[in-house]
Amino acid sequence: MVHLGKFSVVIALLAAICGGCATEKAPPVVTWLSPQSTANIQEGDALMLKFSVLDPAPERGKTEPASWRISIGTAAGNTWWTTSGTLAPPSGTASLTDTLEATWQVPALPSGSSSSTELLISALCTDGEGQTGADFGTLNFTSTPLSSSGLWWVEGTGSQGFGYVNPQISNQVSHYPGPGSPHQLVHLDGADCIVTGNTTAQGWLITNGIPSAEPVWTFTPSATTTGPIRHMRKAPYEHTGAAWVDIGWSDRCTWMNAGGLTMKTWLLNTDEHLIDSDVVSGDMIILARTDANDFRLIRYNLDNTARLESVTWTPQSAGSTGPEGKAWLLQQQNLPAALETDGTYRVWDPMDGAAPLSTGSLEGNGSVMRAGRMEDGRAWAERETGHFYSEDLSLQGTWNGAIYHVTSDRASGQLWLLSENDFERQWWTLDASLEPLGDPIPAGVASISGSVAHNRPGPL
């Protein structure tokens, strides 16, 4: 009995000691500061989010750092975006008060969503004891209906400059002063700007549907950049949030905004020369030729532009060998594919270390003269006749004639194809089944590309 009594005293003392060590504190308090009422937002907006946190000091004991999180999503529970962090713990008897800010780059409205969607925003703070404080708000996400206002191109040598047609109004071509020689061209959707490229990139401001008489900016990246621009296309909106142009130079790939400012750059080594580049499966992929005349596919981080890995091989097709050999960057499903002139393509799987390159062959006869990749990942190639390929590079359709360029009208789901007859080049409109719609539109004698003007970036 004496032994049991002593044991009971020990238990009582331990309980008293532990009770003295327990932390007692009030839960954190979270208050939204901005936006304070329902905010109307559209894709491309940079929405500033701000909230305050009061993490009370413990009345007894010590506490660990609190964590915070902002979430944006739908009432159904689908999370569109979240960001989080930690706070310093309250010091001594002083409560912690802090104001936290974050910026949400509003994405495009997901496919299948209605044009107006209510979103819920929440800010939560969880203290070291697991107690949570929160505050909530709402956002009204509205999507501007996508529309297109016509096709722009550079007519080429001996022509007036820019050509433009809006078939919703008329098939009559409008002509405006612009570059007098063949130039690649991209319309930056929603930015009232055309970017042209030959050996330099130039931006032309559009006012009331008419391009400026002279470029408003001209850009060449560096003295190490030589020769003509390799390619010019719209940078993929899902990775930019704004209308940017993607330009391939001899020694780098550059993304620029409508003001001519460089936003991102992916650099090649000094012994590499860019052939083509594009985003494939969330990575920047560059197809380059080395000084040894090998081909090399290079993978870069899309966000910080760091070079990650590469694979090199010697081309086998006669038209792809040597310093002037031709090749094109395509994709097969979600993997980059390099096409040689005999129709052979090499698919690179960076995750397959044992045999990263596999070989396939495009359907069709004759040497590949030109090829390209459309915005939705499908491919086209001109051989003895034109061919269209699905995302797995299987044959999808043919075109009885030359193909110089293909560009998409996202609003109508149609394609514009640049071909030619015996006298001039022509633009044809193709429907979703790749059948021509109506008569061709004259494009000048030396046009090389064109671009559809949309009222905003992003998908449907």
Side-chain angles (χ1 to χ4, degrees):
M1 293 296 293
V2 174
H3 176 73
L4 290 176
K6 288 182 179 180
F7 184 73
S8 300
V9 171
V10 171
I11 295 297
L13 288 173
L14 289 173
I17 294 171
C18 291
C21 293
T23 298
E24 295 183 7
K25 70 181 293 290
V29 177
V30 175
T31 305
W32 268 112
L33 301 178
S34 177
Q36 291 184 334
S37 58
T38 299
N40 294 315
I41 57 172
Q42 293 186 353
E43 57 265 40
D45 290 346
L47 180 66
M48 177 64 70
L49 304 167
K50 182 188 294 185
F51 67 98
S52 66
V53 172
L54 170 64
D55 189 15
E59 298 171 5
R60 182 170 58 185
K62 294 183 179 181
T63 187
E64 297 298 320
S67 62
W68 60 267
R69 183 176 77 252
I70 301 176
S71 296
I72 299 177
T74 64
N78 298 319
T79 300
W80 282 21
W81 178 83
T82 185
T83 187
S84 60
T86 58
L87 298 170
S91 177
T93 59
S95 298
L96 173 71
T97 302
D98 202 355
T99 299
L100 300 166
E101 296 182 358
T103 300
W104 181 40
Q105 189 71 47
V106 182
L109 194 67
S111 178
S113 302
S114 62
S115 59
S116 181
T117 301
E118 185 176 76
L119 299 176
L120 304 180
I121 53 177
S122 61
L124 292 87
C125 180
T126 303
D127 67 12
E129 282 57 61
Q131 304 175 107
T132 298
D135 200 5
F136 304 90
T138 57
L139 300 172
N140 185 31
F141 189 117
T142 58
S143 177
T144 302
L146 180 66
S147 64
S148 56
S149 57
L151 176 75
W152 290 93
W153 68 93
V154 175
E155 294 179 300
T157 305
S159 300
Q160 298 186 46
F162 292 114
Y164 170 78
V165 66
N166 185 355
Q168 298 180 48
I169 299 174
S170 169
N171 282 350
Q172 184 67 38
V173 176
S174 298
H175 307 275
Y176 301 100
S181 59
H183 278 61
Q184 298 186 60
L185 178 147
V186 166
H187 178 275
L188 296 185
D189 294 334
D192 293 327
C193 179
I194 290 173
V195 181
T196 60
N198 191 331
T199 55
T200 62
Q202 295 182 319
W204 307 72
L205 188 65
I206 301 176
T207 305
N208 297 324
I210 299 175
S212 53
E214 299 291 337
V216 294
W217 55 261
T218 299
F219 178 82
T220 303
S222 76
T224 62
T225 302
T226 60
I229 288 173
R230 273 47 172 181
H231 72 75
M232 180 177 285
R233 57 177 62 96
K234 296 174 183 178
Y237 173 74
E238 60 267 32
H239 301 296
T240 64
W244 294 353
V245 60
D246 174 356
I247 306 176
W249 310 84
S250 60
D251 60 349
R252 68 194 67 200
C253 175
T254 298
W255 283 1
M256 301 177 64
N257 68 8
L261 298 178
T262 299
M263 309 307 291
K264 290 187 179 183
T265 296
W266 296 266
L267 287 171
L268 290 172
N269 293 336
T270 55
D271 66 333
E272 298 168 340
H273 312 279
L274 186 145
I275 298 173
D276 200 358
S277 63
D278 209 346
V279 177
V280 180
S281 193
D283 295 318
M284 174 56 73
I285 304 294
I286 292 182
L287 172 61
R289 178 183 291 104
T290 70
D291 283 347
N293 288 323
D294 288 331
F295 284 161
R296 180 172 293 161
L297 283 168
I298 312 162
R299 186 168 72 97
Y300 295 79
N301 184 287
L302 198 62
D303 297 320
N304 62 22
T305 72
R307 182 172 175 138
L308 301 176
E309 57 186 328
S310 64
V311 64
T312 305
W313 73 99
T314 301
Q316 300 300 309
S317 172
S320 296
T321 57
E324 302 301 322
K326 294 181 180 180
W328 300 268
L329 177 64
L330 307 178
Q331 76 176 62
Q332 185 185 58
Q333 302 290 40
N334 294 319
L335 296 175
L339 175 66
E340 298 182 22
T341 56
D342 64 355
T344 299
Y345 59 82
R346 320 281 180 174
V347 180
W348 181 31
D349 185 352
M351 301 299 107
D352 187 2
L357 281 180
S358 58
T359 301
S361 182
L362 285 181
E363 291 187 60
N365 298 315
S367 297
V368 178
M369 305 298 294
R370 284 173 290 271
R373 179 171 171 257
M374 292 182 275
E375 292 179 37
D376 60 6
R378 292 180 297 164
W380 61 269
E382 181 194 343
R383 306 184 76 171
E384 290 180 355
T385 187
H387 295 75
F388 291 96
Y389 303 93
S390 60
E391 290 185 36
D392 64 358
L393 294 182
S394 61
L395 186 64
Q396 192 175 40
T398 58
W399 174 258
N400 187 24
I403 303 178
Y404 287 91
H405 185 75
V406 179
T407 190
S408 301
D409 183 337
R410 294 184 288 111
S412 66
Q414 298 170 349
L415 298 175
W416 284 92
L417 180 147
L418 182 61
S419 190
E420 68 179 355
N421 60 15
D422 294 335
F423 306 103
E424 63 182 354
R425 294 184 183 172
Q426 301 171 316
W427 287 107
W428 290 84
T429 311
L430 308 184
D431 63 17
S433 63
L434 304 175
E435 292 296 321
L437 297 172
D439 296 326
I441 294 171
V445 296
S447 303
I448 57 176
S449 72
S451 184
V452 176
H454 299 93
N455 64 325
R456 61 167 175 82
L460 289 171

